[in-house]
Amino acid sequence: MMVFRRLSPPFKSTPARAAALSLALSAVCWSAQAQTSSAMQAAQPDTATSAVPLVLPATGSATPEARPADLARAREIWQRANERVAEFPRGHVDLLRWEAKNPGDAPSAPASNAKPATLDLAQALRLSLRQRPDLFTRAGMNALEQGAVQVAYAKHVRELQRAWVDAVAARQRWRHATEVWDATRTGSELGRRMVVAGNWSQAKLMREQLTQASAWQAAVEAQGDAFQAQEQLAQMLGLWESAAVEQLGERLPTSLPAVPPRATPGAGITEATLEAAVLRGHPLLALQRTKAAREFAAVNAGRRQAWNDAVEASLAALPDPGTTPTPPHIADLSLLRDHALERSTRAEADLLRAASERRSMARQAWANLQARHASALHAQTVVAQLHTALEQETLLRYNGMLQSSWELLASARERMQSLDAALQARRDYWRAHADLQALLAGADYAGPDSPSNAGAGSANAPAGH
């Protein structure tokens, strides 16, 4: 009794005091965990992190340019402009680009820090798995549990690969759109100067300004797409600090991997063995096959034949198409009350349906991969090279004074748009590749994406002269 009195608290315990003590202990425990747990910090509203502002390109101007007041003033401006243009090999185009790189008294941009290490797919996968403990197999799991984890893991790998490919492609497309916008800005500035010199009309300048405005809109949309793709990848990687998400864009490669010269189903897999590899890759299908074999062996051949005959008779009695749909009917109660026969027929039907689906998925995924591969190679080796050769030919004719600056700028825009089309075709190939690899690992086929229209960029692009 004396021992009890010495260990007793000096105050009387009440429910209110107990609740307060529990709350204080919880706060202390949370504070200690928050120092080491990124998840606790991210979920705490008081954790300070500021959003990074979206820096958009400067818009053009729709204000009409003032023309020279008299002929003498116009001649003076025209002569000075031509003397300045003559200092550059490609005339107006080189002059404007030189001025853009040498802004005179404009403050110089601060030196950027060293670029962080590139985040490849393998590193991204490891980083994402830290947030997915449910995708780890554990000791003591049975075959069914391990198979479910395997299928979920294959789906996760596919979605991560798609997110990584989309983020890399979106940033590269943003750069292409910015280059197109820069080319249209050059044309607009050239037109403005020609209006000031008095040898161009306001209508022609407005057309160039509209071209620049369309290119600006495309560049802003590409920047927004790149931002969204980067955020989707950041979510899968568990990045929550705005600075870390912004740095993610700098860590991504500047371009997607090159398309291989030949499309293959996978290492050690041929077209003849693809379906077999897909069937073997599904961990739950083997369990389903074992179950079906066990149920099938429990029923003798005579009973199975009687069931098949009843099914054929029921199907033959179906009404003709166009009448009221009526499901087939089996009236033999001896067959219907045979539970072993029922389990056998259901297991066999389920197995056939699952195997047919997997084999169909294999054919679809392989066909889609071949089509995307051919499209990517065509856009890269045919369309893009033709536009590059055309731009070089236009430059030669421009230097020979056979074509104008406007045709040279338009040719440059078309080449950059063809590069963007090749980029989208390459992205589609790598997404199709991720789909097939996930199918081989046990996931279902996600289905083909709508292919990027190689002409969409040209159709939506700003028109030139």
Side-chain angles (χ1 to χ4, degrees):
M1 191 68 178
M2 291 297 293
V3 174
F4 174 78
R5 279 199 295 270
R6 281 200 299 268
L7 295 179
S8 298
F11 57 87
K12 185 178 180 180
S13 177
T14 64
R17 285 174 179 162
L21 180 60
S22 175
L23 209 57
L25 289 174
S26 298
V28 172
C29 292
W30 184 91
S31 177
Q33 292 175 356
Q35 295 178 3
T36 57
S37 173
S38 176
M40 297 296 288
Q41 294 178 22
Q44 174 61 17
D46 294 336
T47 303
T49 177
S50 58
V52 178
L54 193 65
V55 181
L56 300 176
T59 60
S61 174
T63 305
E65 291 295 330
R67 302 176 70 93
D70 53 66
L71 185 60
R73 176 60 178 163
R75 185 179 294 109
E76 178 186 355
I77 296 175
W78 179 85
Q79 183 176 2
R80 187 169 64 249
N82 278 275
E83 290 173 354
R84 188 78 172 112
V85 167
E87 299 175 8
F88 294 87
R90 291 191 297 181
H92 300 92
V93 177
D94 282 348
L95 170 60
L96 294 175
R97 291 180 176 174
W98 180 88
E99 290 178 350
K101 295 179 181 178
N102 300 271
D105 298 331
S108 58
S112 59
N113 298 328
K115 186 177 180 180
T118 301
L119 180 71
D120 59 19
L121 262 176
Q123 294 170 332
L125 178 60
R126 294 188 183 96
L127 190 59
S128 71
L129 289 175
R130 292 190 175 96
Q131 329 304 324
R132 296 296 303 271
D134 57 307
L135 298 181
F136 287 69
T137 55
R138 296 180 174 87
M141 280 185 168
N142 58 37
L144 187 62
E145 293 170 334
Q146 289 183 357
V149 173
Q150 172 64 33
V151 172
Y153 176 76
K155 292 179 180 178
H156 173 77
V157 173
R158 177 187 65 204
E159 296 308 316
L160 177 70
Q161 289 179 342
R162 283 185 162 208
W164 185 88
V165 167
D166 289 347
V168 174
R171 286 186 65 83
Q172 190 173 359
R173 190 176 198 187
W174 176 21
R175 290 193 294 270
H176 288 167
T178 302
E179 291 175 358
V180 173
W181 169 73
D182 186 63
T184 61
R185 190 173 51 160
T186 300
S188 181
E189 175 62 16
L190 176 58
R192 187 191 67 80
R193 297 187 183 192
M194 293 182 68
V195 169
V196 172
N199 57 352
W200 230 46
S201 68
Q202 290 283 1
K204 291 181 178 180
L205 173 59
M206 290 177 185
R207 280 194 288 269
E208 287 300 316
Q209 289 174 332
L210 285 173
T211 301
Q212 180 187 356
S214 299
W216 180 90
Q217 187 67 41
V220 170
E221 291 178 356
Q223 183 177 0
D225 292 342
F227 177 83
Q228 297 296 332
Q230 179 174 303
E231 288 290 343
Q232 291 293 327
L233 179 59
Q235 290 179 26
M236 299 195 70
L237 300 182
L239 302 178
W240 58 273
E241 295 177 293
S242 56
V245 177
E246 183 183 19
Q247 190 185 53
L248 174 61
E250 301 174 4
R251 296 183 61 191
L252 292 173
T254 56
S255 62
L256 292 173
V259 176
R262 291 181 62 254
T264 58
I269 302 176
T270 65
E271 290 186 351
T273 62
L274 175 59
E275 292 184 25
V278 169
L279 293 177
R280 281 194 298 267
H282 198 291
L284 302 181
L285 186 63
L287 298 177
Q288 188 176 0
R289 186 170 59 247
T290 301
K291 176 184 176 182
R294 183 172 61 249
E295 299 292 349
F296 191 80
V299 179
N300 62 56
R303 296 296 288 172
R304 285 197 299 272
Q305 185 60 45
W307 172 262
N308 292 335
D309 293 340
V311 169
E312 292 299 328
S314 177
L315 294 177
L318 279 176
D320 295 333
T323 60
T324 302
T326 303
H329 178 70
I330 295 178
D332 191 337
L333 292 179
S334 65
L335 295 175
L336 298 176
R337 291 171 179 171
D338 190 337
H339 299 300
L341 177 61
E342 179 184 7
R343 290 193 300 269
S344 175
T345 55
R346 287 187 179 274
E348 185 179 6
D350 292 343
L351 180 63
L352 177 59
R353 185 165 56 250
S356 300
E357 289 176 353
R358 301 297 295 179
R359 289 179 179 273
S360 176
M361 290 177 184
R363 293 189 293 268
Q364 292 181 64
W366 174 232
N368 185 48
L369 181 68
Q370 293 178 89
R372 298 292 173 265
H373 180 266
S375 178
L377 282 186
H378 180 266
Q380 176 179 306
T381 60
V382 178
V383 180
Q385 289 189 11
L386 282 175
H387 278 290
T388 300
L390 179 60
E391 184 187 20
Q392 294 173 352
E393 178 65 21
T394 304
L395 176 59
L396 292 175
R397 294 177 63 81
Y398 171 81
N399 291 334
M401 303 183 70
L402 300 176
Q403 287 186 290
S404 67
S405 302
W406 314 109
E407 291 171 307
L408 180 62
L409 290 171
S411 179
R413 290 198 299 268
E414 291 173 356
R415 181 186 65 83
M416 286 181 282
Q417 289 158 6
S418 71
L419 291 177
D420 179 69
L423 164 66
Q424 297 309 304
R426 182 183 295 188
R427 184 206 67 169
D428 292 343
Y429 166 78
W430 286 114
R431 286 175 65 93
H433 181 269
D435 291 346
L436 179 55
Q437 296 308 307
L439 179 64
L440 288 167
D444 289 343
Y445 179 49
D449 296 323
S450 298
S452 297
N453 188 353
S458 302
N460 299 327
H465 290 278

